[in-house]
Amino acid sequence: MSMAIGIDLGTTNSCVAAVEGDKPTVIANAEGMRTLPSVVAFTKDGERLVGEPAVRQAVMNPDRTFASVKRHMGTDWRAHVDERDFTPQEISAMLLRKLKNDARAYLDDESICDAVITVPAYFNDMQRQATKDAGRIAGLNVLRIINEPTAAALAYGLDNEMKQKVMVYDLGGGTFDVSIIDISEGVIEVMSTSGNNHLGGDDFDEVLAKHLADVCKRDFNFDCKRVPEAWARIREAAEKAKCELSSADKTEVNLPFLGQGASGAVNFACTVTRSEFESMIASLIELTTEPVEQALYDAGIAASELDKVLLVGGSTRIPAVAAKVKSMTGKPASQSINPDECVAQGAAIQANTLANAANSLSVRGGDILLLDVCPLSLAIETVGGVATRLIERNTTLPTHYSQIFTTAAAFQTKVEIKVLQGERPMAADNKMIGNFQLKGIKRAPAGVPQIEVSFDIDANGIVTVSAKDLGTGNEQSITIENDQRMSDAEIEAAIRDAETYAAEDKVRRQNWEDYNEAGRLVREVDAAIARQGKTMDKEKKREIKKAANELRRYVSKKQEKLTDADRAAMKTAADSLSNLASDIISPKSE
Ligand code: AMP
């Protein structure tokens, strides 16, 4: 049985799970956390920090700390660090690598590399491709990219239930997705999806943080927004208060020594009630109404026809969010699986299914066919800058569609095909995701040549476009040029880079461990001599002191300043000191 992992690569938090026995298990990392903050940082001495350690130093190192990078997937955004630029794929790969390593350690299997990674249903082709590339850079074999709501439906085991229509309402840290899913005879079909790529718990934090900053100015005469450290503490406190207000009616925010105000140190204190918070975020929650209505409209059903509503994403823990969903759909929502973990669990079920498809093991989800949909319409630009659609949004994937086009000018021997993604009627208002030329068309008057343009979208939602001149039967190989996609060469380079850093990080960690261990040994020996020096054999004491001083030569230098020769000598000195002093530092018990 092959082991494969499911990864929810989130904007705010990420999570990894695997099927053990016949149930998905969320894998806690070495630090004991079940979700990993999606934050990466680069320290001034070249170390890369991922997750909690990156969050901890963010205030002190804001320019070299990167959060919510998922918002930039598939764009030309770069993280600029010293002389280097990192793509969103490379930063995401650092998170994926950490999740992979945590899973390997937990499952005690260093060979695990097959994975399913989830993306918001609203992600376009470029964002999906970038996610897949991130997986490759992290040394993962990405079996499939699946939509987060689809994963949630699997986690809830809805495949085992009767025919039904389900809404998945997913409000996380940075994105909102809503999907209507049809489940029937072991087939899960996503009928429609809608959402907002820029709405989530981060926005709630921001609103509450601004409120706290206003209180700070009004009651303490201190403008915390002007002091980066104070503002970072306010934001952190806002998120904490927000989470507390999901289960308490009010909460106290206390931030001693927030800064230096006109009349001395500011010891910030403020009470926030749930109803105050709810009125602050009401208009943000309201923003989810339109995508919900759109998804229902696209699926061609009324809210009353829904059999079930699933709540996914940490922000659905807010009671006002659950209440809003109930008022929109008339149904109480299912929240029985931890909303932060449910997507990773579903991804793990799907990963397990795909990894073991060859031997058709009968685990849950094993006989489920997942049908995702194309999140945005696909078109090509035709005469007059018009976007002519070939694939409608919400078409079930995988899909193939061909249409015949012709030339607009006499004796035209090549055509330029611009591939567009989006819902707008004019080409310029949509996003161009590819651009290629079909050459070698037979010379003929306008309107005579027949050019067949075909779109193929695979199960990952990744698009391939091809074109053929039917007059000559001449099929030309076509390259889709796209600056925003990473080339294979770039991906390979990024993989090598990530591996180099993984090796370097390991060496760096080992160096620190050796150095710390040597320091600990010297301190322990000093303490032992101080304690029992009087009763020790004089010669032995002299020898131990000499060996301790030899080791002290290295420990008293800065770790970073030690040369390779120093490190080797330090290890030898540490070994001989620990041999010599073994009796005094760890006396044998009788
Ligand atoms: P996710 O992307 O699903 O991990 O969701 C992360 C978002 O959920 C963050 O904005 C968190 O602050 C938020 N969140 C987590 N727990 C709670 C809670 N108990 N109440 C409100 N929001 C929460």
Side-chain angles (χ1 to χ4, degrees), residues 8 10-14 35 170-175 200-205 239 242-247 277 312-319 339-341:
D8 170 8
T11 308
T12 323
N13 295 302
S14 297
T35 57
D170 180 350
L171 190 59
T175 53
D202 294 349
D203 301 301
F204 303 156
D205 299 348
E239 189 192 358
K242 172 190 76 172
C243 294
E244 282 167 7
L245 289 171
S246 291
S247 50
F277 175 60
V312 175
S315 300
T316 61
R317 288 202 167 112
I318 297 173
D340 309 325
E341 298 177 354

Side-chain angles (χ1 to χ4, degrees), residues 501-522:
Y501 269 93
E504 276 182 22
D505 284 348
K506 211 168 164 187
V507 171
R508 200 178 280 121
R509 212 172 15 248
Q510 187 63 51
N511 286 345
W512 272 109
E513 272 171 24
D514 291 347
Y515 179 78
N516 292 340
E517 176 57 25
R520 193 193 54 74
L521 185 60
V522 170

Side-chain angles (χ1 to χ4, degrees), residues 205-215 225 231 234-235 238:
D205 299 348
E206 189 75 19
V207 169
L208 183 50
K210 281 194 180 135
H211 166 77
L212 297 177
D214 289 346
V215 172
K225 279 182 160 172
W231 177 231
I234 288 272
R235 287 171 61 124

Side-chain angles (χ1 to χ4, degrees), residues 121-122 176-179 192-196 290-292 294-295 298 393:
Y122 214 64
F176 169 60
D177 290 295
V178 54
S179 302
S192 66
T193 72
S194 188
N196 184 335
E290 202 186 308
V292 164
Q294 180 74 46
D298 284 352
R393 89 193 213 96

Side-chain angles (χ1 to χ4, degrees), residues 250-402:
K250 62 177 183 183
T251 184
E252 298 281 332
V253 179
N254 285 304
L255 295 169
F257 309 112
L258 183 61
Q260 201 61 33
S263 42
V266 174
N267 292 315
F268 180 81
C270 162
T271 303
V272 187
T273 65
R274 185 189 284 175
S275 68
E276 277 172 328
F277 175 60
E278 282 177 353
S279 60
M280 284 175 220
I281 60 166
S283 58
L284 288 169
I285 298 178
E286 190 56 41
L287 289 178
T288 66
T289 306
E290 202 186 308
V292 164
E293 284 169 358
Q294 180 74 46
L296 285 166
Y297 179 84
D298 284 352
I301 61 166
S304 57
E305 291 173 75
L306 289 169
D307 296 290
K308 210 168 260 156
V309 178
L310 307 184
L311 291 188
V312 175
S315 300
T316 61
R317 288 202 167 112
I318 297 173
V321 171
K324 179 75 195 167
V325 180
K326 188 169 175 220
S327 83
M328 283 189 283
T329 61
K331 297 226 152 33
S334 308
Q335 275 175 294
S336 58
I337 302 182
N338 186 343
D340 309 325
E341 298 177 354
C342 144
V343 168
Q345 289 192 21
I349 292 170
Q350 180 67 2
N352 185 59
T353 304
L354 292 170
N356 294 294
N359 25 354
S360 350
L361 279 165
S362 166
V363 290
R364 207 173 80 199
D367 42 6
I368 277 293
L369 178 61
L370 283 181
L371 298 172
D372 279 350
V373 294
C374 170
L376 295 170
S377 300
L378 291 172
I380 62 168
E381 180 172 334
T382 51
V383 180
V386 170
T388 300
R389 271 189 208 170
L390 276 84
I391 301 216
E392 292 290 332
R393 89 193 213 96
N394 287 325
T395 300
T396 303
L397 305 185
T399 189
H400 169 87
Y401 186 77
S402 298

Side-chain angles (χ1 to χ4, degrees), residues 415-481:
V415 288
E416 165 121 36
I417 294 175
K418 291 183 182 161
V419 183
L420 311 165
Q421 191 165 32
E423 307 309 310
R424 308 280 295 275
M426 297 308 291
D429 298 324
N430 294 298
K431 182 161 178 97
M432 191 168 82
I433 59 167
N435 182 22
F436 63 89
Q437 286 191 338
L438 174 64
K439 295 179 185 152
I441 298 168
K442 199 170 162 194
R443 288 168 62 82
V448 172
Q450 290 201 303
I451 297 150
E452 185 184 55
V453 176
S454 304
F455 276 60
D456 278 286
I457 314 183
D458 72 9
N460 296 322
I462 291 169
V463 185
T464 312
V465 183
S466 57
K468 187 178 183 180
D469 176 8
L470 297 182
T472 57
N474 174 19
E475 191 167 3
Q476 229 172 268
S477 65
I478 291 152
T479 42
I480 295 181
E481 283 161 23

